[in-house]
Amino acid sequence: FVDGNHENFHRLENFPTITKFGGKVQRLAKNCFHLLRGEHYEINGFKFLALGGAESHDKERRLLNYTLWNEETITEQEANKAIESLEKGVDFVITHSAPVYFQQKLFKNLGFPYNVYDDSRSCQQLERVLHSLVEKQEDNWKWFMGHYHVDVDFKPFYVLYNHFYCIEEDKWV
């Protein structure tokens, strides 16, 4: 499904969309599903909000529609859908990138200059979702992402790269 280093969004569009886990997914194989942006899912008794997406940082070295896709960006409509679905409650938010607030905390902790964070449109949309989540729900949620190629535990934010997090046992594995 991957050309170059990123998703082939035009190829993904051709997979069938079905309802599973209480939300829309694309079936990629018999037991492999693409969770769609802004959708709310209930899996094994847990409530998930999926909102993948992030702009490529090296656009100048990529080819549009081969290794770079306009669809990488989280749209305002996708973020609005995610915010609406927060009414159902959420245990886990799954994203690729992070809200600006968390990036500032992450990069400062890793020793980077404070102004190194990504203020892209996708990260701004995630910031909107974070503000709504905090407004609508107590701090009984976790946010998982992987974009930053480190393993970090800044409760309730978790960056996963080389490790896994077992949600049933509530611990790193």
Side-chain angles (χ1 to χ4, degrees):
F1 306 118
V2 178
D3 288 336
N5 293 322
H6 280 269
E7 300 85 351
N8 182 330
F9 283 94
H10 296 166
R11 201 170 188 187
L12 278 172
E13 290 170 357
N14 293 317
F15 286 92
T17 300
I18 62 171
T19 299
K20 187 148 182 87
F21 314 117
K24 291 182 181 176
V25 301
Q26 287 178 295
R27 183 185 296 274
L28 305 181
K30 182 179 178 185
N31 288 313
C32 182
F33 304 96
H34 173 218
L35 303 180
L36 300 179
R37 290 185 192 156
E39 291 288 325
H40 185 274
Y41 302 99
E42 294 194 28
I43 304 171
N44 294 338
F46 295 106
K47 296 177 181 180
F48 294 86
L49 172 63
L51 195 57
E55 285 86 346
S56 295
H57 296 286
D58 57 351
K59 292 179 182 181
E60 68 281 350
R61 295 190 318 224
R62 295 183 180 270
L63 278 163
L64 186 60
N65 297 324
Y66 183 71
T67 58
L68 174 71
W69 305 91
N70 290 326
E71 295 88 348
E72 292 174 358
T73 302
I74 298 170
T75 67
E76 184 175 352
Q77 293 78 17
E78 290 165 337
N80 288 343
K81 184 173 186 172
I83 290 168
E84 287 174 24
S85 75
L86 292 174
E87 297 296 331
K88 300 174 186 176
V90 66
D91 299 310
F92 304 101
V93 178
I94 303 170
T95 63
H96 182 71
S97 193
V100 174
Y101 160 80
F102 175 71
Q103 287 182 68
Q104 292 171 341
K105 184 176 180 177
L106 173 67
F107 292 139
K108 186 174 182 182
N109 184 272
L110 294 175
F112 287 87
Y114 195 73
N115 63 355
V116 75
Y117 66 90
D118 178 4
D119 194 20
S120 67
R121 191 163 142 214
S122 290
C123 293
Q124 291 171 11
Q125 298 299 348
L126 293 173
E127 187 76 11
R128 290 181 50 232
V129 172
L130 173 61
H131 286 291
S132 293
L133 178 60
V134 169
E135 249 177 45
K136 295 178 186 207
Q137 191 168 325
E138 295 180 21
D139 290 339
N140 56 347
W141 49 269
K142 291 179 174 60
W143 189 307
F144 294 102
M145 69 205 79
H147 183 62
Y148 304 99
H149 295 208
V150 294
D151 291 300
V152 174
D153 174 353
F154 281 142
K155 292 176 180 72
F157 297 96
Y158 299 81
V159 184
L160 304 173
Y161 185 61
N162 291 309
H163 293 89
F164 295 92
Y165 193 93
C166 179
I167 59 175
E168 286 92 0
E169 296 178 20
D170 195 25
K171 68 177 188 178
W172 291 85
V173 291

